[in-house]
C-alpha cells in the first residue's frame, strides 16, 4: 500500500477521534473550567488517551515502569505516535520530565499542541510530524522512548526498532504496549467511546 494511501486512511479514522470541540463539550458537561485547564482534566477522562485501555492502562504501564526507572525531571522522553498528546502530558505532569511527541498525522500534532498550550505545559512538551522509521533526532537523544499501540500500524518493523534503538541513550528504557496483529487488509476500525460514567474522574 502506498504511504500516502495509508496516511490518508489513518487520517480518516483518527479524524473522528481528534475533535477539540468534542473534548471541550465533554469538559463543560463535567463542569471543568476550560479556561484553567489542567493536564489531568484530560487524561483522567480518557479525552486524550486513546491507547488501548486508555488512562487505566497508562497507569498500569507507568507503575510497572516506576519499578525499573522512573522518568526524572532532567530526562527527555520520546512519545512515539503521540496522538492528541495524552500520554506525554501524563508523563510531564506526573514525573516532571521533558517530552517530545511525534506523530505521522499533522491533524494529531496540531491537536496535541493546542491542548498542551491550554494546560500550560508547552515549555516542557514539543511535537513534530515525523515517522518512527526515520526519526529526526540525534543518536542517544532520549532517556526513555514510549510507544503505546503504534507498532501495529508500522509495516517496516526492522526500521522502526532500529531507529528507536538509535535515539535511545545507552542504558535507557524502551516502553512498548501494543496490540496483536497483523490487521486484516480490509479491516476498518471504528473509534470506541466509553459511557460518560466511566469517563468521569472520581470526586
Amino acid at each position: 500500500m502506498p504511504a500516502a494511501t495509508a496516511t490518508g486512511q489513518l487520517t480518516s479514522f483518527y479524524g473522528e477521534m481528534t475533535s477539540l470541540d468534542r473534548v471541550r463539550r465533554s469538559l463543560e458537561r463535567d463542569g471543568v473550567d476550560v479556561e484553567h485547564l489542567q493536564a489531568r482534566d484530560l487524561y483522567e477522562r480518557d479525552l486524550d488517551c486513546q491507547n488501548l485501555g486508555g488512562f487505566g492502562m497508562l497507569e498500569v504501564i507507568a507503575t510497572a515502569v516506576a519499578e525499573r526507572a522512573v522518568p526524572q525531571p532532567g530526562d527527555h522522553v520520546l512519545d512515539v505516535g503521540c496522538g492528541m498528546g495524552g500520554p506525554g502530558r501524563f508523563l510531564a505532569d506526573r514525573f516532571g520530565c521533558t517530552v517530545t511527541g511525534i506523530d505521522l498525522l499533522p491533524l494529531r500534532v496540531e491537536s496535541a499542541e493546542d491542548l498542551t498550550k491550554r494546560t500550560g505545559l508547552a515549555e516542557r512538551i514539543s511535537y513534530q510530524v515525523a515517522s518512527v522509521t526515520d526519526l529526526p533526532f540525534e543518536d542517544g537523544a532520549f532517556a526513555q522512548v514510549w510507544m503505546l499501540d503504534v507498532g501495529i500500524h508500522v509495516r517496516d518493523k526492522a526500521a522502526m526498532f532500529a531507529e528507536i534503538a538509535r535515539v535511545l541513550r545507552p542504558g535507557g528504557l524502551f516502553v512498548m504496549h501494543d496490540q496483536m496483529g497483523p490487521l486484516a487488509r480490509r479491516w476498518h476500525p471504528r473509534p470506541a467511546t466509553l459511557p460518560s460514567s466511566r469517563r468521569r474522574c472520581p470526586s
Side-chain angles (χ1 to χ4, degrees):
M1 179 186 297
T5 301
T7 301
Q9 290 182 351
L10 285 171
T11 301
S12 177
F13 169 55
Y14 281 112
E16 299 178 47
M17 303 168 64
T18 314
S19 168
L20 294 178
D21 285 340
R22 176 186 62 81
V23 170
R24 178 184 52 78
R25 290 194 301 269
S26 182
L27 292 170
E28 289 176 345
R29 281 197 304 269
D30 284 357
V32 176
D33 183 356
V34 296
E35 299 302 322
H36 299 87
L37 199 59
Q38 299 184 59
R40 65 175 177 270
D41 293 328
L42 297 166
Y43 61 69
E44 288 183 354
R45 290 176 169 80
D46 284 333
L47 295 175
D48 58 356
C49 286
Q50 296 169 339
N51 49 287
L52 188 65
F55 172 60
M57 182 54 69
L58 183 58
E59 282 209 305
V60 169
I61 295 168
T63 298
V65 169
E67 295 176 356
R68 292 160 177 80
V70 175
Q72 299 298 313
D75 285 343
H76 194 179
V77 177
L78 177 63
D79 179 13
V80 175
C82 64
M84 296 181 77
R89 282 188 292 273
F90 167 84
L91 290 172
D93 187 43
R94 181 70 61 91
F95 301 112
C97 55
T98 299
V99 177
T100 294
I102 66 155
D103 203 283
L104 197 59
L105 307 181
L107 173 67
R108 305 283 273 172
V109 168
E110 291 167 8
S111 68
E113 289 175 334
D114 185 283
L115 292 174
T116 295
K117 289 177 183 177
R118 292 175 185 271
T119 56
L121 291 173
E123 291 186 0
R124 283 196 279 132
I125 307 176
S126 61
Y127 301 96
Q128 294 187 43
V129 175
S131 169
V132 67
T133 61
D134 186 19
L135 294 170
F137 307 112
E138 296 181 357
D139 296 358
F142 299 96
Q144 295 189 7
V145 176
W146 285 54
M147 185 174 72
L148 307 182
D149 300 299
V150 173
I152 194 170
H153 298 297
V154 181
R155 183 179 298 275
D156 192 345
K157 300 291 195 293
M160 176 181 74
F161 287 119
E163 278 293 87
I164 289 171
R166 181 183 65 78
V167 302
L168 191 60
R169 76 183 184 192
L173 184 66
F174 174 39
V175 180
M176 178 179 176
H177 180 268
D178 221 323
Q179 304 174 46
M180 299 299 290
L183 297 176
R185 181 174 296 181
R186 296 185 179 277
W187 182 67
H188 297 290
R190 296 180 180 178
T193 57
L194 293 173
S196 59
S197 60
R198 290 185 60 192
R199 288 200 303 265
R200 296 176 184 273
C201 295
S203 57

